Amino acid sequence: MTITNLQVLPSVLAGPIVRHASAEQVCFWLVTKCDYNFAVKLFEQDKPSIWFDEELTNQQISQVQVGSHAFVNIITITPSSVIPSGSRVSYEINLINTDRQIFSVSQVCADLLYPQQSHPSFVISNDIKRILHGSCRKPHHNSDDGLCLVDIQLEKSLNGEVDPPNLLMMAGDQIYADDVAGPTLVAIKQTIEQLGLFHEDINGSVVKNSKEIFQHTDCYYQRPALLPDTPTTENTYNNFFSAKKKPIFTSDNANNHLMSFAEVMAMYILTWSPEMWQRITLSDDPIPKKFKSIFGKEKMAIEKFATGLAKVRRALAHVPVYMIFDDHDITDDWNLTRGWEEAVYQNEFAKRIVGNALIGYWLCQGWGNCPNTLQPLKDLCTSHFTKRGIIEHDELVDKLLAWEHWHYHLATSPKLVVLDTRTQRWRSESSLTKPSGLMDWEALCDLQQELIGQKSVIMVSAAPIFGVKLIETIQRIFTFFGKALTVDAENWMAHKGTASVMLNIFRNRKTPPNFVILSGDVHYSFVYDISLRFRQNSPNITQITSSGIKNQFPEKLLNWFDTLNRVLYSKYSPLNWFTQRRNMRIQHRKPKGQNVRTLLNSAGIGLLEIDQDCIHVSAKQLTTNGKEVIFKKSN
């Protein structure tokens, strides 16, 4: 392995990304090649307001070394005075090297600024009126990248053409750790080498150290073969690695599944920044002959993806960004059933793979959502990172798997509540193969306490709480025959206990009268308006699903599902009485331009516009083919 000369590498490898931003706290994320000192200035352009202008202390900057030339930086600043809501905050992040030379991030990152700017900026918002949201961004999908539309919206807002978004909410599958293109894996290998991302020893695998993965003949498109050959391999393979055939939905490809922490970190750097792509050669030389054809097709998609990353980086530097994981951020079907958990977490290598992805999520996504809440996890875990790599790696994984506070809320108006539907599951006691509830009883009780007394709430759930009934029915049939894994039977109604408690939360008279639910996951978009039958003063619930940012559902299959769902579960259909939601009235909003269909199949980004009480709710999908699709309420 040859580590690139330090002088050749860019100072900033990824970022900056604006993370949590409120009147009392501002957080930034970026990856640098050195452990720089930082100085930050927060100010109002062309006005005397200066909220912060200091060199950072150890309490304000957290640095985690993940490679010889790679440092994850979380900057958390308390302004000298409260920043008024609605203020556009300009900022300057300066890097200070050991010779006390100063480099401005906006100078070293090409194309970080919009044409009319001298500094990057974002808007502080206590009142939420406009949210951009989406999920499911797979780099090698053949659609365009919906995050480039965020860049367009932000430039329009700077020009005064539209109001600025209050935040960007990414509701899951920000990376695909389990579904990686061959060219991306080639880029990951070169990124690891150039940055000296730390390798790790591995137990329970046919390779003894992660650096041996890329030397193995099965590295590209054949990674399931790297599993250990033991009596438990078949169970672990079937539940964790296998590219499960899913004739109803899709066929997942786990053949290039990320395994090591170095691979996960490289994936994040390559997903959010153009810098390392400029130093990478996508050659098929290491690819086995039988996979060269698919490599060539994927290469075209990946090269197109990389060309848009300068706009993506610029966008993420100009709006507060919040995230929550879904399964592909870690692995497909993560914690789907009790049997899945037992098979994976009892296998040393499989557990390490899950743990490595979760470490990456913590460092690159979770930490910036709510720095104060994640402070105890930082105190627990940062001692595992040294100048030579991670020490006591399995202990670090155990700490991450035991952490129970990935969920969070924002004290905005309306309150924004982000659910963890992956690590607090209601496991089936009767069967290893039945789907677990997306949240257990204790977590749902905590959620109800969060909601009591609020006039309105925006709730973020990776999976739609109110999904397409036909698809949920198909999933229930497969579950009955013990095949939940075959169809990803992950929906709120799949577990009777979770469904009952969640629906009772909506029925409770002490919980908010108005809900907006933002979701993703499913690779198509839809909007439902829900109310309770047989009750006066029913809460108003709007389920808005925007998916994917760079992914789509098979078009012909979605047409069939849409048609059958409308026929079998029409307003007066008796089949509605066999669902968990029999006491709820659900009205479909039709996408403008679709006279019959209620499901929209297009990559893009969702745009939510609301009033303070979530009474007037406008939902749009900004599509990568240039359309702005409004979901119209039925008369």
Side-chain angles (χ1 to χ4, degrees), residues 18-26 51 82-89 121-132 154 157 163-168 318-322 409-416 458 610 612:
V18 182
R19 298 305 318 274
H20 176 65
S22 68
E24 296 85 17
Q25 188 180 68
V26 175
W51 293 290
V82 173
I83 303 175
S85 181
S87 299
R88 179 168 286 279
V89 179
S121 63
F122 58 93
V123 175
I124 291 288
S125 306
N126 292 337
D127 298 328
I128 293 181
K129 298 179 180 178
R130 209 164 190 263
I131 292 180
L132 293 169
L154 290 167
S157 71
D163 292 332
N166 303 120
L167 58 90
L168 168 64
H318 285 82
V319 62
V321 181
Y322 295 88
H409 72 269
L410 303 183
T412 49
S413 180
K415 187 175 186 177
L416 188 142
I458 301 171
I610 56 171
Q612 189 172 358

Side-chain angles (χ1 to χ4, degrees), residues 179-196:
D179 189 351
V180 181
T184 303
L185 206 55
V186 169
I188 285 171
K189 176 181 184 291
Q190 294 177 37
T191 300
I192 291 171
E193 291 175 346
Q194 292 183 42
L195 301 183

Side-chain angles (χ1 to χ4, degrees), residues 444-457 459 501-515 532 535 537-541 584:
L444 288 166
C445 288
D446 291 342
L447 170 63
Q448 184 159 14
Q449 292 303 310
E450 286 270 13
L451 302 177
I452 288 175
Q454 299 293 320
K455 291 183 179 179
S456 55
V457 164
M459 185 184 296
V501 176
M502 178 56 88
L503 295 179
N504 283 334
I505 287 175
F506 290 121
R507 297 186 189 108
N508 191 310
R509 296 180 186 275
K510 294 182 180 180
T511 48
N514 298 301
F515 284 90
L532 300 180
R535 178 180 150 183
N537 301 319
S538 166
N540 301 305
I541 306 167
M584 292 190 161

